[in-house]
Amino acid sequence: MADLEARAKRVLSPVLGHYTWLPVERGEGSWLITDSGRRVLDLTCGIAVTPVGHAHPKVVAAVIAQAQKLSHICAGVTLYEPNVALAEELIKVTPSGLDTVFFGNSGAEAIEGSIKLARQATRRQAVVVFRGGFHGRSTGAMALTTSKAAYRRGYGALLPDVYMAPFPYPLACPITPAHDAEACAQHCLAELDVLLEHQLPPEHVAAILIEPVLGEGGYVAPPASFLKALRDLATRIGALLIFDEVQTGFGRTGAWFAAQKANVTPDVLVLAKALGGGLPLGAIVAPRELHQKWLPSTHGSTFGGNPVSCASGLATLGVLRDEGLVARAERLGEQMVRELAPLLSSPHVREIRRYGAMVAVEFDDPKYSKAATLGALERDVLLITCGFHDQAVRFIPPLNITEADMRLGIRALVESVGSAAIPAAAR
């Protein structure tokens, strides 16, 4: 077989960034197997997409069974069981009152749909987003994304009427002296008030859109008080509060959704990634009363709610529920932080953060975070970075990973950071 990397570089667009060029042939549970038979522990879950690991028998069986019956027919053309059944099961685990679902293909698509819904329902245009948020890379979603300026490079004008407010991230805050998350949150809320007083009339705001935990922006959780204040603000000014739970959803935070952990119910919940259990699927979940304000036929999707994707999502939801993996996420996060504790003695480690099973190690320079992931891969453990400058290493393990495998993965990173040498590729 010709070298896969060389073949890929000849025919695939170089616009796609690559964390690695690892030639993966298949996945088994928490492990990836390359075309040469090398086994690599996957602590990325395809960026939070496979919460029950690779090729879970129940998910595989559901996908095969559905593909043998019906692989596709547009949800706007006919009705089919998996589409309705997944919506029924989904609203059993989402926050109370969010009882109607629109299915799409991805997180970015669902985000754009949620903004369309907000603008029609409120008859307003402006959208408030928060510094460090990632909401996708399509044109509309990219206008809402502020985790890296590089994502916008060379594209010119994007979606209008988008306003950025600060997110409480104490380590990234320019205000000194150092302060805690609550103080940072209060300052951010004060700055949001300034925005609404001097630049953006409150009656123009259609939606306040936020990741309840920053994903690509660094795995940073604001105080629950911050999210509750946004809920109060949205209600007061007549805007919709939209939670982007594309990366935080389906047990990753130790609750089905971060909204429930913070005890804050948004008007709209945007989902994707783990929703499809490995297949493309996104969703917009909101009260029926709100969905009824969305003008019929002004939004749609050919592939959204695909039968096979919905069958995969149903099976994944069942495994998460039946195996108690949502509650296990909290215990998994505790184990990760405990195993990572030796890194606190490193002069280059600024912080170890945890929110459920969302864990990140922030370094003082991205060369160290990148070196750490390269060193881990040399030890057969796959990790990726996040943060404004890729300065943090994030852990996104399957929620059913064994404790022994989790320990192995953490120790690979600890050993990598302990190595004095920084690989040339990370300099």
Side-chain angles (χ1 to χ4, degrees):
M1 181 184 292
D3 179 73
L4 192 61
E5 180 180 339
R7 289 167 55 204
K9 288 178 176 178
R10 282 197 298 270
V11 297
L12 299 180
S13 175
V15 71
L16 181 64
H18 286 262
Y19 284 105
T20 80
W21 291 93
L22 199 65
V24 172
E25 186 175 87
R26 67 186 190 280
E28 297 174 356
S30 301
W31 294 83
L32 298 170
I33 296 90
T34 70
D35 55 11
S36 64
R38 177 186 175 191
R39 293 176 62 84
V40 177
L41 184 63
D42 180 15
L43 300 185
T44 73
C45 274
I47 314 187
V49 169
T50 54
V52 300
H54 299 287
H56 191 288
K58 291 183 179 178
V59 177
V60 171
V63 167
I64 291 172
Q66 184 57 48
Q68 289 174 333
K69 290 191 293 186
L70 179 70
S71 63
H72 176 72
I73 182 70
C74 178
V77 174
T78 72
L79 283 175
Y80 47 89
E81 175 67 20
N83 185 267
V84 178
L86 180 56
E88 289 173 334
E89 291 302 310
L90 190 55
I91 63 176
K92 292 178 182 177
V93 297
T94 52
S96 178
L98 307 186
D99 58 5
T100 302
V101 182
F102 177 89
F103 286 119
N105 299 295
S106 69
E109 183 184 294
I111 286 291
E112 295 210 11
S114 74
I115 298 305
K116 292 171 72 175
L117 168 59
R119 285 183 165 181
Q120 278 197 358
T122 64
R123 299 184 181 181
R124 302 173 177 184
Q125 298 295 311
V127 181
V128 175
V129 297
F130 294 85
R131 185 181 303 132
F134 181 91
H135 304 291
R137 302 202 206 192
S138 54
T139 301
M142 187 169 57
L144 309 167
T145 291
T146 59
S147 55
K148 286 187 179 74
Y151 292 145
R152 301 171 179 236
R153 187 169 290 132
Y155 289 120
L158 300 170
L159 188 72
D161 268 344
V162 176
Y163 299 83
M164 186 180 72
F167 185 97
Y169 183 174
L171 286 186
C173 185
I175 294 178
T176 55
H179 50 279
D180 63 18
E182 287 289 351
C184 198
Q186 290 305 310
H187 170 71
C188 291
L189 290 169
E191 286 296 312
L192 179 53
D193 286 342
V194 170
L195 173 69
L196 295 175
E197 182 178 3
H198 291 278
Q199 186 179 6
L200 173 60
E203 66 272 19
H204 288 191
V205 181
I208 297 172
L209 169 65
I210 190 168
E211 288 181 289
V213 182
L214 291 184
E216 301 301 310
Y219 273 33
V220 182
S225 61
F226 182 75
L227 298 177
K228 290 175 182 177
L230 295 183
R231 173 67 280 172
D232 292 343
L233 173 63
T235 301
R236 187 169 69 250
I237 68 175
L240 299 185
L241 178 62
I242 303 176
F243 274 11
D244 177 346
E245 294 228 34
V246 169
Q247 189 155 171
T248 56
F250 299 96
R252 185 62 54 185
T253 64
W256 277 105
F257 301 98
Q260 294 152 329
K261 187 164 185 174
N263 195 27
V264 176
T265 300
D267 298 293
V268 181
L269 192 64
V270 178
L271 308 172
K273 288 189 181 290
L275 171 63
L279 296 185
L281 194 60
I284 302 164
V285 190
R288 186 147 202 88
E289 180 184 8
L290 186 53
H291 272 280
Q292 287 174 334
K293 294 180 180 179
W294 208 353
L295 299 178
S297 299
T298 62
H299 191 60
S301 174
T302 298
F303 290 100
N306 170 271
V308 181
S309 292
C310 285
S312 178
L314 266 170
T316 301
L317 203 63
V319 173
L320 289 168
R321 180 189 60 236
D322 298 343
E323 296 186 10
L325 299 183
V326 176
R328 186 174 189 264
E330 197 68 44
R331 300 193 299 273
L332 197 60
E334 290 172 355
Q335 180 194 2
M336 284 189 271
V337 170
R338 189 166 58 248
E339 298 281 350
L340 286 166
L343 291 182
L344 292 172
S345 63
S346 169
H348 301 296
V349 172
R350 300 185 72 195
E351 186 174 65
I352 296 174
R353 293 188 288 272
R354 180 178 84 84
Y355 195 77
M358 296 182 72
V359 175
V361 180
E362 178 157 334
F363 291 82
D364 60 2
D365 191 304
K367 69 183 179 185
Y368 294 109
S369 55
K370 293 175 182 178
T373 60
L374 286 171
L377 188 56
E378 290 172 355
R379 294 165 173 81
D380 296 327
V381 174
L382 181 63
L383 287 160
I384 57 175
T385 55
C386 63
F388 306 163
H389 308 289
D390 289 306
Q391 77 276 13
V393 176
R394 56 179 149 167
F395 289 82
I396 327 174
L399 299 181
N400 57 350
I401 188 173
T402 67
E403 290 187 9
D405 282 349
M406 192 71 254
R407 188 175 301 111
L408 184 153
I410 297 287
R411 290 182 179 177
L413 182 76
V414 172
E415 291 172 6
S416 175
V417 174
S419 173
I422 299 174
R427 290 176 187 154

